[in-house]
């Protein structure tokens, strides 16, 4: 019987992280794989000692990139690959990859690195951003989940306030796709196959995330939506991907982001599909 470690972040107290791990564990059991759910701090990364009782593979549901890299270097296949987790964990880095692969996405400008105690207010960079994207626009921090670090900026005052507050942080400026206000599509992809998807919408917020009060329902994807979602997952190298698609003015799909540790509970509730099953099947096929 093959064995698997399912790793999530033990410092996060919200139940949904453990719940996510349990869904993956159920998928393992269905496929005759013995799962062990571990908090990231339950593995001692003592670099001069050999890691004991290694599993056949690791499902990595966290963003502890150092741990993911450590496990990979111990010779364990880690899914997603630590490099993919790192790319997706930083939205700025991710958009650079998506643009390189010509994935349709909102016009995006990366913010230059500014050290926290300094300012580049006189450089003209921000005026240029305002001039290029106009208002309202989106400011999005590199790191963030559940829509928490995504801001809709309406005024120049708000814009400069946010830019000042984000000194020392990776972030991007982005065109606000108004035709997609409060709605998006989450597509879950394993390998290069679409396993499940849902339409998310919110009547109260520009963000469609369910955590922000959005609702979700089943959706049949168009061929273009399918193609674009798969193209996005490929562009960042994600074998397990939650791709968020926005609706362009003509309803054409525009990639909002790719999540490398996408939560699968809501998708399961909406579609009845445990994406974990397809994920574990994919891994078993790959590792042989
Ligand atoms: N450029 C944009 N134009 C219009 N709406 C956007 C744009 N970017 C993001 N949104 C909305 O805000 C929501 C949150 O943005 P995004 O998915 O980038 O970050 P996140 O939700 O914090 O990440 P995660 O999906 O990991 O929780 C999206 O689902 C979408 O509804
Ligand atoms: Mg998102």
């Amino acid at each position: 019987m093959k064995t698997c470690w399912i790793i999530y972040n033990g410092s996060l107290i919200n139940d949904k992280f453990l719940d996510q791990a349990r869904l993956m564990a159920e998928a393992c059991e269905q496929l005759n794989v013995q799962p062990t759910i571990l908090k990231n701090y339950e593995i001692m990364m003592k670099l001069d000692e050999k890691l004991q009782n290694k599993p056949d593979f690791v499902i990595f549901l966290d963003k502890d990139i150092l741990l993911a890299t450590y496990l990979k270097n111990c010779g364990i296949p880690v899914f997603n690959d630590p490099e993919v987790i790192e790319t997706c964990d930083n939205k700025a880095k991710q958009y650079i990859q998506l643009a390189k692969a010509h994935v349709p996405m909102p016009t995006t400008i990366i913010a230059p690195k500014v050290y926290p105690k300094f300012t580049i207010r006189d450089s003209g960079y921000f005026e240029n951003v305002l001039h290029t994207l106009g208002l309202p626009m989106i400011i999005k921090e590199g790191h963030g989940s559940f829509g928490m670090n995504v801001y809709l900026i309406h005024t120049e005052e708000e814009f400069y306030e946010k830019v000042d507050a984000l000194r020392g942080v990776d972030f991007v400026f982005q065109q606000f796709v108004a035709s997609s206000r409060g709605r998006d599509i989450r597509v879950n992809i394993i390998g290069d196959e679409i396993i499940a998807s849902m339409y998310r919408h919110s009547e109260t917020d520009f963000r469609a995330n369910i955590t922000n009060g959005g609702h979700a329902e089943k959706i049949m994807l168009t061929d273009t939506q399918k193609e674009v979602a798969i193209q996005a997952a490929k562009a960042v190298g994600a074998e397990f991907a939650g791709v968020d698609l926005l609706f362009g003015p003509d309803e054409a799909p525009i990639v909002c982001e790719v999540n490398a540790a996408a939560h699968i509970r809501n998708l399961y509730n909406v579609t009845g599909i445990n994406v974990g099953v397809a994920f574990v099947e994919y891994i078993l096929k790959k590792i042989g």
Side-chain angles (χ1 to χ4, degrees):
M1 196 189 219
K2 289 232 183 322
T3 56
C4 158
W5 285 355
I6 299 168
I7 296 172
Y8 73 104
N9 195 293
S11 70
L12 299 169
I13 46 169
N14 192 312
D15 287 346
K16 62 183 163 196
F17 298 96
L18 177 58
D19 174 62
Q20 164 90 339
R22 288 203 177 119
L23 269 178
M24 287 292 180
E26 275 172 31
C28 285
E29 279 155 4
Q30 269 186 47
L31 294 161
N32 252 334
V33 172
Q34 193 189 328
T36 306
I37 295 177
L38 291 169
K39 299 184 175 87
N40 61 323
Y41 59 68
E42 290 178 317
I43 299 160
M44 180 66 92
M45 291 183 268
K46 190 159 187 298
L47 301 183
D48 60 353
E49 265 174 27
K50 237 183 161 175
L51 185 66
Q52 299 298 315
N53 305 319
K54 289 193 287 186
D56 292 301
F57 64 93
V58 167
I59 292 181
F60 208 85
L61 300 177
D62 188 31
K63 298 171 177 177
D64 188 336
I65 292 150
L66 299 178
L67 174 59
T69 308
Y70 166 75
L71 293 171
K72 185 182 176 185
N73 287 356
C74 290
I76 312 168
V78 179
F79 297 89
N80 276 311
D81 187 90
E83 273 181 37
V84 174
I85 299 173
E86 189 163 22
T87 302
C88 291
D89 183 40
N90 185 336
K91 292 191 212 274
K93 200 167 172 185
Q94 173 184 146
Y95 286 122
I96 292 174
Q97 285 300 111
L98 293 176
K100 187 179 172 202
H102 306 291
V103 173
M105 60 190 235
T107 305
T108 302
I109 301 173
I110 310 281
K113 186 178 185 77
V114 176
Y115 289 98
K117 288 188 184 149
F118 298 87
T119 178
I120 57 160
R121 272 289 275 270
D122 298 332
S123 67
Y125 197 94
F126 301 129
E127 282 72 14
N128 214 340
V129 169
L130 274 169
H131 179 74
T132 309
L133 297 179
L135 291 168
M137 80 166 79
I138 295 278
I139 288 185
K140 209 178 266 196
E141 294 186 36
H143 304 282
S145 286
F146 312 115
M148 281 184 310
N149 299 337
V150 178
Y151 314 100
L152 182 58
I153 304 292
H154 295 91
T155 64
E156 283 198 22
E157 201 185 348
E158 264 183 82
F159 173 86
Y160 284 111
E161 232 173 66
K162 193 50 85 184
V163 162
D164 259 352
L166 293 181
R167 283 177 296 173
V169 169
D170 285 346
F171 69 99
V172 304
F173 305 98
Q174 195 166 69
Q175 166 201 6
F176 174 54
V177 182
S179 46
S180 200
R181 179 188 283 270
R183 61 196 188 114
D184 73 2
I185 298 174
R186 164 59 62 85
V187 185
N188 210 297
I189 296 171
I190 306 291
D192 49 17
E193 215 180 302
I194 293 174
I195 306 300
S197 44
M198 61 183 170
Y199 171 62
R200 305 187 294 191
H201 57 101
S202 171
E203 276 64 56
T204 52
D205 201 289
F206 74 95
R207 294 160 296 191
N209 305 62
I210 294 165
T211 315
N212 282 314
H215 303 280
E217 51 202 75
K218 275 189 210 174
I219 187 176
M220 286 282 289
L221 299 180
T222 65
D223 287 345
T224 327
Q225 286 164 343
K226 288 181 189 165
E227 278 161 28
V228 169
I230 290 171
Q231 189 193 359
K234 277 216 166 95
V236 297
E239 296 170 283
F240 170 77
V243 181
D244 292 343
L245 296 177
L246 301 171
F247 297 88
D250 47 2
E251 296 291 288
I254 299 177
V255 173
C256 176
E257 64 154 347
V258 183
N259 297 282
H263 281 244
I264 58 175
R265 165 60 66 185
N266 289 323
L267 256 185
Y268 181 58
N269 291 347
V270 169
T271 65
I273 299 171
N274 180 354
V275 172
V277 176
F279 190 25
V280 176
E281 272 172 355
Y282 170 88
I283 293 170
L284 290 175
K285 216 172 185 181
K286 183 160 178 182
I287 64 174

